[in-house]
Amino acid sequence: MATNTLDSIKKKMQAMKLEKDQALDKADQLEQKLTAQKAVNEKQEEEIQTLQRSIQQKEGDLDTAQTQLAESTTKLENTEKQLGTAEADVGGLIRRTALLDVDLEQANSRLTATSEKLEEASKHAEESERNRKSLESRSLADDERMTFLETQLKEAKLHANWRLPKSPLKVWKVVSKHPKRILPSLKIS
């Protein structure tokens, strides 16, 4: 029995050694798996960190895009308001232009009528000027004729009132006072 017990202890020891070897092999395998898993985990950690950085960057880009969208929306609203104001201004300017066109047409009509009246008045003025010059030259001719007739009248009066003085000295005094008036009209026979 002692051999049996020894054999049984040997068998148990061999069985334990086998279990130990299997356990060590399994431990080695598990360590290799653990090492491989750690490498996979490190790669996944790196990928997670890369993804987190990418997410943060995308979130930053999203914030920037949202800010730009808000600014663009505000600008668009302001532009639409300005467009509405500009359209209203253009409408007002179009109405004003139409009124100015009507005013221009009326002014052109008045200008045409006034030009025609001015031309007619100018013709009348030219005719009046010609008449004035004609009357003026007639008046000058009449003045010259009146002067001539007055001179003749004076001479006729002088002849009619002429009485020859008896003394030659008195005749000489009268002739010397009015030589041009008396001598040309005096006819001595």
Side-chain angles (χ1 to χ4, degrees):
M1 252 215 109
T3 358
N4 249 347
T5 320
L6 223 30
D7 276 339
S8 116
I9 291 180
K10 263 187 186 179
K11 281 184 184 177
K12 263 189 172 183
M13 282 192 55
Q14 282 177 350
M16 283 175 76
K17 187 176 178 189
L18 184 60
E19 276 182 26
K20 176 186 156 196
D21 286 340
Q22 286 175 348
L24 284 176
D25 285 343
K26 193 172 186 181
D28 284 342
Q29 288 175 356
L30 286 176
E31 279 217 23
Q32 287 175 356
K33 281 184 181 181
L34 179 63
T35 305
Q37 189 62 40
K38 281 183 181 179
V40 168
N41 285 349
E42 286 177 7
K43 284 183 184 177
Q44 287 179 343
E45 281 290 325
E46 287 176 9
E47 287 178 11
I48 287 171
Q49 288 176 356
T50 304
L51 288 173
Q52 284 176 341
R53 282 190 297 256
S54 177
I55 288 171
Q56 287 175 348
Q57 184 178 358
K58 299 295 182 199
E59 285 175 347
D61 292 345
L62 177 63
D63 289 342
T64 303
Q66 286 176 337
T67 303
Q68 289 175 348
L69 176 63
E71 289 172 0
S72 296
T73 303
T74 304
K75 286 180 183 177
L76 179 63
E77 289 171 356
N78 290 338
T79 304
E80 286 176 349
K81 287 178 185 176
Q82 290 174 348
L83 177 63
T85 303
E87 285 175 348
D89 290 347
V90 167
L93 289 173
I94 289 172
R95 287 188 295 279
R96 181 170 167 92
T97 303
L99 292 175
L100 288 174
D101 286 341
V102 169
D103 288 348
L104 178 63
E105 287 177 16
Q106 291 173 350
N108 283 337
S109 298
R110 288 192 303 262
L111 177 63
T112 303
T114 304
S115 294
E116 289 171 359
K117 288 179 183 177
L118 179 62
E119 187 177 331
E120 189 176 313
S122 178
K123 287 178 184 176
H124 286 304
E126 288 174 4
E127 187 177 323
S128 295
E129 182 64 21
R130 280 193 302 271
N131 288 339
R132 184 193 66 78
K133 286 181 180 179
S134 172
L135 290 174
E136 191 176 273
S137 70
R138 271 193 212 161
S139 174
L140 287 174
D142 289 346
D143 285 346
E144 287 175 6
R145 189 163 181 235
M146 274 179 42
T147 304
F148 176 71
L149 290 174
E150 285 174 354
T151 305
Q152 281 187 343
L153 178 63
K154 285 180 184 178
E155 287 176 11
K157 282 183 182 179
L158 188 63
H159 282 292
N161 293 332
W162 183 262
R163 292 184 199 153
L164 286 175
K166 293 185 180 180
S167 135
L169 182 61
K170 286 184 180 180
V171 171
W172 179 248
K173 283 183 181 177
V174 172
V175 170
S176 64
K177 283 184 182 177
H178 305 288
K180 290 185 180 177
R181 290 185 182 164
I182 296 175
L183 291 177
S185 61
L186 185 61
K187 292 181 184 175
I188 302 174
S189 10

